[in-house]
Amino acid sequence: MMFHPLIQKISNFTQLDDGERRVLHEVLSERVRVFDPRHVLLQEGMSPQHVYVLIDGWAYRYKILPDGRRQITSFLLPGDLCDSHMFVLAAMDHSIAALSSVTVSEVGRESFVDLTTRSPKLARALWWDTLVSTSIQREWTVNIGRRDATERMAHLIVEIMLRLQSVGRAGNGAFSFPVTQGELADALGITTVHANRTLQSLRAAGLILLEKRHLTVLDLSRLKQIAMFNQRYLHLDE
């Protein structure tokens, strides 16, 4: 039970005792569901009654303009809460879809409220998780607004690796990377052709190896330097 990625993730922030792990595990185990790639988990305008917590696979938040253009605003990884907005907002203001096949814990509103009521420490840890997600969103804004394409790509790769490492999913800098070049383009605000060229330049420089949707970081120090990466915004050492 202690290896659910959400438990691993919030353990970076606070030391949970066995009872708290057990309570969280029970809530996360109430209902587990599997969705296929591209399945829309939450649609803009919906009023969700539960929270999805990723156990395995990737998902993404996105907005679509009236003319069909899409902006991916974040990637959701194992241990991430897909959305806790249901406690504040009347309806979703964005959509969330599975990028790969995903396995999720489906936590109902009542169970989530009961969890935070029973354990102030768990409530504090989940609040920390929400604040870190907001911090990541700010960094994505800086990434798109001020870094060039190579810097954006390098920054995203380093961020994903560190986030996956925090839940034990990126040993030795190698991890599953089920993102298409089109999805990278929509996340980084560049064209698909530009995304392809940028990936090729990082490969040619010996910084990454990308084969069959599996990415290995070969030179983390250099990637961080290119991206001007400061991992403080991930708050992994608190």
Side-chain angles (χ1 to χ4, degrees):
M1 68 180 179
M2 65 183 299
F3 294 113
H4 189 289
L6 177 60
I7 298 176
Q8 288 183 279
K9 182 181 177 183
I10 63 177
S11 292
N12 291 312
F13 168 70
T14 188
Q15 186 66 41
L16 302 178
D17 61 33
D18 288 342
E20 289 159 338
R21 288 194 182 95
R22 187 175 301 108
V23 168
L24 185 51
H25 174 72
E26 289 172 356
V27 171
L28 294 171
S29 302
E30 286 179 0
R31 188 177 186 190
V32 174
R33 302 184 64 184
V34 178
F35 296 104
D36 293 330
R38 317 301 168 224
H39 178 85
V40 177
L41 282 74
L42 295 168
Q43 183 76 50
E44 183 172 358
M46 286 178 57
S47 298
Q49 298 301 310
H50 50 257
V51 172
Y52 289 126
V53 185
L54 262 69
I55 299 172
D56 195 31
W58 290 35
Y60 62 97
R61 302 180 196 273
Y62 65 97
K63 296 276 288 186
I64 294 182
L65 297 178
D67 63 5
R69 286 178 293 169
R70 177 182 65 175
Q71 178 67 46
I72 292 176
T73 61
S74 64
F75 289 123
L76 299 166
L77 308 176
D80 287 348
L81 282 76
C82 281
D83 232 295
S84 55
H85 287 71
M86 67 178 186
F87 298 103
V88 179
L89 304 178
M92 293 286 294
D93 55 22
H94 63 281
S95 300
I96 299 177
L99 193 151
S100 65
S101 174
V102 296
T103 303
V104 301
S105 299
E106 185 179 278
V107 183
R109 180 190 296 267
E110 294 78 11
S111 295
F112 204 87
V113 170
D114 183 60
L115 173 68
T116 55
T117 301
R118 290 167 62 186
S119 173
K121 186 188 289 186
L122 285 175
R124 193 163 55 248
L126 291 170
W127 180 234
W128 166 85
D129 181 72
T130 298
L131 293 176
V132 171
S133 295
T134 304
S135 178
I136 291 173
Q137 202 69 68
R138 284 192 294 268
E139 194 66 25
W140 273 52
T141 301
V142 174
N143 210 32
I144 292 177
R146 284 292 175 259
R147 294 185 177 95
D148 64 30
T150 300
E151 293 164 350
R152 294 179 201 184
M153 188 74 75
H155 198 280
L156 177 63
I157 290 171
V158 174
E159 176 191 296
I160 293 296
M161 188 199 76
L162 293 177
R163 288 170 60 194
L164 288 172
Q165 282 183 339
S166 74
V167 292
R169 303 295 179 98
N172 298 317
F175 49 93
S176 172
F177 194 72
V179 191
T180 67
Q181 291 177 8
E183 288 156 349
L184 281 173
D186 285 352
L188 297 176
I190 57 180
T191 67
T192 302
V193 171
H194 203 171
N196 177 271
R197 289 174 179 169
T198 305
L199 280 174
Q200 294 301 333
S201 69
L202 295 178
R203 283 170 167 169
L207 302 177
I208 64 169
L209 177 65
L210 181 58
E211 293 182 324
K212 298 179 180 179
R213 299 201 171 192
H214 196 85
L215 191 147
T216 302
V217 172
L218 301 175
D219 192 336
L220 178 59
S221 177
R222 179 63 178 146
L223 270 183
K224 284 184 172 181
Q225 183 180 15
I226 290 171
M228 296 173 282
F229 193 92
N230 185 334
Q231 71 182 59
R232 187 182 301 116
Y233 75 98
L234 295 173
H235 301 279
L236 294 175
D237 56 352
E238 297 185 358

